[in-house]
Amino acid sequence: MRADLFVPARGGRSVIVECKCEKDPFDRGRAILKSRHPYQLWAYLTNYARTRSEEVRPLGVLLYATVNSSFNYEYELPGYPLRVRSLDLGQQRPDLRQDLLNFADELAEATGAEVRPAA
């Protein structure tokens, strides 16, 4: 198994992103994730960290494609930070573009890379 996206550290931490497309990623509509996705990401994080003991522990991101809903949460897996966010594919194209740019900025900031200037 391989993660969907890996962004190496540039002075910060590496980021491992797992993308999902699921109608409801939460357990019965509550802000509690269904366990299979965090466990999958945790396996990626722990295996990567085992091979890079000198680095800051990687950040895990679960990115969900949604339609007409959005969320952005932060959790802690055992020893690893976890962000769970959505990308609303039902929004207007300019708004979707801005959300994608914001997500790219989040990844750049986490890894220590240069963030693009504010428009």
Side-chain angles (χ1 to χ4, degrees):
M1 290 180 23
R2 293 179 188 245
D4 294 319
L5 178 64
F6 173 77
V7 185
R10 301 273 190 256
R13 66 175 71 230
S14 295
V15 181
I16 298 173
V17 181
E18 183 63 22
C19 302
K20 299 294 181 188
C21 186
E22 187 165 312
K23 185 175 180 179
D24 186 8
F26 299 101
D27 189 21
R28 296 182 197 106
R30 302 178 307 180
I32 299 171
L33 284 170
K34 293 177 182 174
S35 62
R36 68 184 177 275
H37 298 159
Y39 280 134
Q40 178 185 4
L41 186 56
W42 186 72
Y44 296 150
L45 293 166
T46 56
N47 285 321
Y48 175 77
R50 243 184 292 201
T51 64
R52 310 271 190 313
S53 60
E54 71 283 350
E55 287 186 22
V56 176
R57 294 222 167 177
L59 166 67
V61 177
L62 284 171
L63 179 64
Y64 288 92
T66 60
V67 177
N68 299 324
S69 70
S70 62
F71 50 85
N72 192 352
Y73 298 110
E74 291 187 20
Y75 296 95
E76 184 78 21
L77 288 173
Y80 300 92
L82 170 65
R83 292 185 189 162
V84 179
R85 71 181 323 274
S86 63
L87 184 61
D88 183 358
L89 301 179
Q91 61 188 324
Q92 295 296 313
R93 190 176 197 158
D95 295 328
L96 178 58
R97 179 182 185 278
Q98 188 60 51
D99 278 357
L100 285 166
L101 291 171
N102 291 343
F103 181 60
D105 285 345
E106 288 175 28
L107 296 178
E109 185 178 336
T111 62
E114 189 173 316
V115 177
R116 66 187 174 86

